[in-house]
Amino acid sequence: MAAANLLLLGLALLLLGCGCAAADSHRYRPGDPVPLYANKVGPFHNPSETYRYFDLPFCAPDKVKDKIEALGEVLNGDRLVDAPYKLDFCVDHDARSVCTRKLTKDDVVKFRNAVSKDYYFQMYYDDLPLWGFIGTKPEKADAGDKYYLYRHIIFDIHYNNDRVIEVNVHTDQNSVVDLTEDKEVDVEFLYTAKWKETQTPFEKRMEKYSSSSVMPHHLEVHWFSIINSCVTVLLLTGFLATILMRVLKNDFVKYAHDEEEPDDQEETGWKYIHGDVFRFPSNKSLFSAALGTGTQLFALTTFIFLLALVGVFYPYNRGALFTALVVIYALTSGIAGYSATSFYCQLEGKNWVRNLLLTGCLFCGPLFLTFCFLNTVAIAYNSTAALPFGTICVIMLIWMLVTFPLLVLGGIAGKNSKNDFQAPCRTTKFPREVPPLAWYRKTIPQMAMAGFLPFSAIYIELYYIFASIWGHRIYTIYSILFIVFIILLIVTAFITVALTYFQLTAEDHEWWWRSFLCGGSTGFFVFAYCLYYYHKRSDMSGFMQTSFFFGYMACICYAFFLMLGMVGFRASLLFVRHIYKSIKCE
């Protein structure tokens, strides 16, 4: 398994390197052309609603030349084309004309609608990102609103010897075009290029983007908030664990004493159900498939963290994260097949092929249906978020040639593993009736209690993650995120074990599904946070952006549910086996 993990990591790194490495050495001589690509435009507050740069009537060449992009770049909605500006190395320009064109009434309406929605543009110069707004409008909405288009862009470029180090863009506030009225207007688009020398080395040119998103005082507050939250949660978890250990110790002493008493003494508590506690759950195939899929998602998350911690996902490594997700998900499908089928066979399941197919569809199925709906919406909006047919074919080929074969191989290996379910107690022929339970001991209240504590450990970090995924912030502090992830796993395991113990003491032996649901209930809390973030912390609007936000966040929360449900059940299984091994069962 260690060799397989190393191979997996190597393949992921190789694909990332192939997709994201620069095609040249980034070295230029004075007068050499430096690649400048226009990427996309879109409403600033709707990050998923992006369009091609030349969907707006900017100065366009006779033939727009698209840049060949990697899989991750296409998944990210990037559609790079040659920009209309010529920025040769170390060549200054002052108010150089790009073109003069007559904007028709339709063109004016397009630009005015874009300005009213705070459209921004994004470009890449020598693989360095730059942004700017295409126009400006009054902050207050009055009947006499004015809308202005910026027609003069100024590039400030810093270089060190023969390399580009930094690029900034701003607009000339005095060089604007009034778009308020629906009438034709003549516009001359201009640009200025100013070159300045700097001592910053080439290796540190990306640090600007990391530090700009995490200022020292923000980082200090961030660390303090995370430490405060984690210490509080760990103290609560430790307090709960201490109580549980004391109660268990008393139980062991009590049951050991009862064994020395006459046989006519009636058993009570969790020992009373020792003949039912290892009775296999209902819907064994679905349960095993959920465990297998959760195990795969846990492996996927672990590998993503490893890549992040070694620096693969540096700022604006275009599409690296999406490439990694697709590749590693495909390569870890064997883990899902092995985990699901081996556990299904331990539960004495007979139809392992059906179980394997269910495992392959349990997460991919909802994700595929969500993608089909959202891609249709993006096509209707003519957005760059819509995947081209060729990219969809590539993803389908990856699934058919890599994901599915590895899933089958893992399933065959799991079927042939011949592992028996290690139950310390013999299961009786007929199940005991579960006694009536108080309302707070039922499934939904238990899930609410189980999900709240793990969620409280991560909710501070959720804001920063959401602001990065659904905003324009850059997330680079993966060390904090990894610590929070570890704490999330620990707290989930502890709270699920505690609730499983309380369930057994109430003589309720149907703990299998309950432990999975309680462990995964944090996913429901995360989705509830999505509702709060959308309405209170963001300015997203429109059908497309709303669909993308809730559609993909529902898939992510579902993945959380499966992964943490697996963690909760595995922890509970270890705990239940341990306590029943420690007593004498007839």
Side-chain angles (χ1 to χ4, degrees), residues 52-68:
R52 289 178 175 271
Y53 182 79
F54 289 118
D55 283 351
L56 291 178
F58 289 113
C59 296
D62 295 334
K63 185 177 181 182
V64 177
K65 184 180 178 183
D66 292 331
K67 179 183 179 295
I68 299 175

Side-chain angles (χ1 to χ4, degrees), residues 274 276-281 284 287-288 291 342-349 417-427 511-512 569-570 572-574 576-577 580-581:
H274 64 80
D276 295 275
V277 74
F278 291 106
R279 190 179 304 280
F280 297 149
K284 291 185 287 189
F287 188 79
S288 302
L291 279 182
S342 62
F343 195 79
Y344 180 68
C345 292
Q346 288 179 34
L347 299 183
E348 301 175 0
S417 61
K418 305 296 184 184
N419 292 327
D420 294 328
F421 186 79
Q422 302 296 325
C425 301
R426 188 172 63 251
T427 302
W511 63 275
W512 298 69
F569 170 74
R570 291 291 185 186
S572 296
L573 180 61
L574 286 172
V576 173
R577 277 178 173 162
Y580 281 95
K581 275 182 182 178

Side-chain angles (χ1 to χ4, degrees), residues 279-301:
R279 190 179 304 280
F280 297 149
S282 58
N283 300 310
K284 291 185 287 189
S285 184
L286 178 60
F287 188 79
S288 302
L291 279 182
T293 306
T295 306
Q296 178 190 8
L297 293 171
F298 177 75
L300 169 66
T301 306

Side-chain angles (χ1 to χ4, degrees), residues 22-35:
D24 52 42
S25 62
H26 297 281
R27 295 184 181 274
Y28 308 98
R29 291 175 294 182
D32 282 354
V34 182

Side-chain angles (χ1 to χ4, degrees), residues 85 95-99 151-153 175 188-192:
Y85 309 103
R96 184 172 182 176
S97 177
V98 183
C99 75
R151 66 183 188 90
H152 187 186
I153 297 180
S175 184
E188 183 182 16
F189 290 94
L190 308 171
Y191 74 100
T192 294

Side-chain angles (χ1 to χ4, degrees), residues 286-343:
L286 178 60
F287 188 79
S288 302
L291 279 182
T293 306
T295 306
Q296 178 190 8
L297 293 171
F298 177 75
L300 169 66
T301 306
T302 302
F303 283 122
I304 290 294
F305 270 118
L306 290 175
L307 293 177
L309 292 172
V310 299
V312 171
F313 305 130
Y314 59 84
Y316 297 103
N317 186 358
R318 291 194 304 270
L321 178 59
F322 288 101
T323 304
L325 287 171
V326 171
V327 172
I328 298 178
Y329 181 83
L331 294 176
T332 53
S333 59
I335 296 174
Y338 179 85
S339 302
T341 307
S342 62
F343 195 79

Side-chain angles (χ1 to χ4, degrees), residues 314-446:
Y314 59 84
Y316 297 103
N317 186 358
R318 291 194 304 270
L321 178 59
F322 288 101
T323 304
L325 287 171
V326 171
V327 172
I328 298 178
Y329 181 83
L331 294 176
T332 53
S333 59
I335 296 174
Y338 179 85
S339 302
T341 307
S342 62
F343 195 79
Y344 180 68
C345 292
Q346 288 179 34
L347 299 183
E348 301 175 0
K350 303 300 181 184
N351 196 345
W352 68 275
V353 175
R354 176 175 171 271
N355 171 252
L356 195 62
L357 294 175
L358 181 60
T359 304
C361 298
L362 194 62
F363 180 71
C364 278
L367 180 63
F368 177 73
L369 293 176
T370 303
F371 162 76
C372 289
F373 171 72
L374 295 180
N375 205 57
T376 303
V377 172
I379 291 172
Y381 274 73
N382 197 28
S383 169
T384 61
L387 294 190
F389 179 73
T391 303
I392 297 174
C393 290
V394 169
I395 295 175
M396 294 299 295
L397 283 174
I398 291 174
W399 192 88
M400 289 188 293
L401 300 179
V402 180
T403 306
F404 188 71
L406 287 178
L407 178 73
V408 173
L409 290 175
I412 294 172
K415 175 182 175 293
N416 296 329
S417 61
K418 305 296 184 184
N419 292 327
D420 294 328
F421 186 79
Q422 302 296 325
C425 301
R426 188 172 63 251
T427 302
T428 58
K429 187 174 182 180
F430 299 104
R432 293 180 186 270
E433 184 179 353
V434 177
L437 301 174
W439 67 269
Y440 57 86
R441 288 187 179 273
K442 294 185 179 178
T443 302
I444 293 178
Q446 294 283 294

